[in-house]
Amino acid sequence: MTQTESISKRLDGKIAVITGGSSGIGLATAQRFVQEGAYTFIFGRGQSEVDKAVKDIGKNVMGVRGDVSNLADLDRLYDMVKQQKGRIDVLFANAGILEFAPLGSITESQFDKSFDINVKGLLFTVQKALPLFQDGGSIILTASVNASTGFEATSVYSATKAAVRSFARCWTVDLKQRKIRVNAISPGPIDTPMTRSMVQGESGQQLKNKLLSTMPLGRMGNPDEIAKAVSFLASDDSSYVTGIELFVDGGQAQI
Ligand code: NAD
């Protein structure tokens, strides 16, 4: 966010929970949510990473360490939210991992780990939050352009994100009586620790340049460009938007 950018307070008074909130897209979104007026709980894996994120954000934030694929950790997260604030208005189910493996060398443990975190973890992140949800709240799920495109060595990851996109459709219907909106956000390549580890070395740079050369905006996105779109979906500005997949991808999957 630039110094001169004026910050709206469109999330004033809202209680938000962000998984994967200690790094990358989740951290940028937590920063923006707090600046826009929400009290925000961040949930992430490493205690030191969570502590650092809480310190950097500074106020109106609480960190909880845990693993989304461990249901007892999710219970601990929501016990904390219930005890501290008593309700949730906005849930950004964002934690996820990406591991590369082409068909032929996918292992059972890689498959299980990806689906445990990206699919099972996300499902129970949402399901276990429901008792704390206010009618009229907003749930945002992090999918990916990979749900709609074919890149080499990403079939397992892409399948997990296609499942996430499907969840947004079905849960929109399951939750319609409670007027809870559910939307998916699909980022293109965003400069975060996840992608930084992929573009290291000469071959990584070549891969990055090849990808960017095919994209209308010709560059990677920054995490706050996703955070701004998530904040829109979290806020009442998107009160007539539900069930969608919002691509924030520099045009990558649109042409
Ligand atoms: P990141 O690695 O910077 O952040 C991932 C976050 O998820 C971290 O806070 C980490 O602690 C948390 N996390 C991972 N596994 C977890 C688990 N089992 N339990 C709890 N927390 C866990 O990556 P990012 O780029 O910010 O990715 C965030 C989301 O965006 C992911 O779902 C990713 O698939 C998706 N995405 C990223 C990009 C991109 O280009 N960066 C593109 C499309 C989609």
Side-chain angles (χ1 to χ4, degrees):
M1 195 175 307
T2 61
Q3 292 281 317
T4 50
E5 190 182 338
S6 69
I7 306 292
S8 85
K9 288 283 181 192
R10 61 182 170 181
L11 300 180
D12 224 4
K14 293 195 189 288
I15 308 298
V17 173
I18 300 179
T19 63
S22 53
S23 169
I25 290 168
L27 175 58
T29 305
Q31 281 164 330
R32 184 162 275 280
F33 275 13
V34 170
Q35 279 159 343
E36 295 191 2
Y39 187 96
T40 303
F41 291 85
I42 58 172
F43 183 75
R45 260 186 319 194
Q47 187 67 55
S48 57
E49 192 180 77
V50 170
D51 290 345
K52 184 175 182 312
V54 167
K55 193 161 173 252
D56 289 349
I57 296 169
K59 59 169 187 179
N60 293 333
V61 62
M62 182 169 287
V64 180
R65 191 213 60 77
D67 180 339
V68 288
S69 65
N70 180 326
L71 303 196
D73 283 359
L74 290 173
D75 288 337
R76 205 165 36 77
L77 165 67
Y78 293 126
D79 283 349
M80 178 66 81
V81 176
K82 186 174 181 185
Q83 188 193 322
Q84 296 292 323
K85 295 290 175 186
R87 67 168 212 275
I88 299 174
D89 303 303
V90 174
L91 172 61
F92 182 30
N94 164 73
I97 58 160
L98 163 60
E99 290 187 350
F100 291 96
L103 188 63
S105 54
I106 296 166
T107 64
E108 186 180 6
S109 72
Q110 188 226 353
F111 177 92
D112 287 344
K113 186 176 168 196
S114 296
F115 273 80
D116 271 358
I117 294 173
N118 294 4
V119 182
K120 184 187 97 171
L122 181 137
L123 186 161
F124 287 101
T125 295
V126 174
Q127 182 162 287
K128 284 180 174 290
L130 292 179
L132 284 172
F133 244 87
Q134 299 282 290
D135 289 2
S138 174
I139 298 174
I140 303 111
L141 315 176
T142 303
S144 170
V145 288
N146 288 73
S148 320
T149 55
F151 290 105
E152 68 184 75
T154 64
S155 61
V156 173
Y157 175 75
S158 302
T160 67
K161 294 302 185 178
V164 171
R165 200 284 168 251
S166 176
F167 283 159
R169 283 201 173 89
C170 297
W171 295 345
T172 297
V173 184
D174 287 347
L175 297 175
K176 72 177 183 184
Q177 303 301 348
R178 296 186 58 187
K179 302 196 177 356
I180 298 173
R181 298 182 294 109
V182 185
N183 292 292
I185 188 146
S186 278
I190 306 300
D191 184 13
T192 69
M194 179 184 276
T195 45
R196 252 169 255 150
S197 61
M198 286 158 44
V199 297
Q200 278 168 357
E202 203 174 318
S203 61
Q205 278 301 324
Q206 279 170 3
L207 183 72
K208 176 180 165 184
N209 293 339
K210 190 172 153 202
L211 173 68
L212 296 184
S213 70
T214 65
M215 287 179 48
L217 294 187
R219 65 172 175 85
M220 292 185 81
N222 69 62
D224 192 49
E225 290 178 295
I226 303 300
K228 284 188 273 195
V230 177
S231 167
F232 164 70
L233 292 173
S235 76
D236 297 340
D237 288 352
S238 59
S239 53
Y240 201 50
V241 180
T242 193
I244 70 160
E245 177 177 17
L246 178 55
F247 287 90
V248 185
D249 67 347
Q252 182 190 5
Q254 314 312 314
I255 54 170

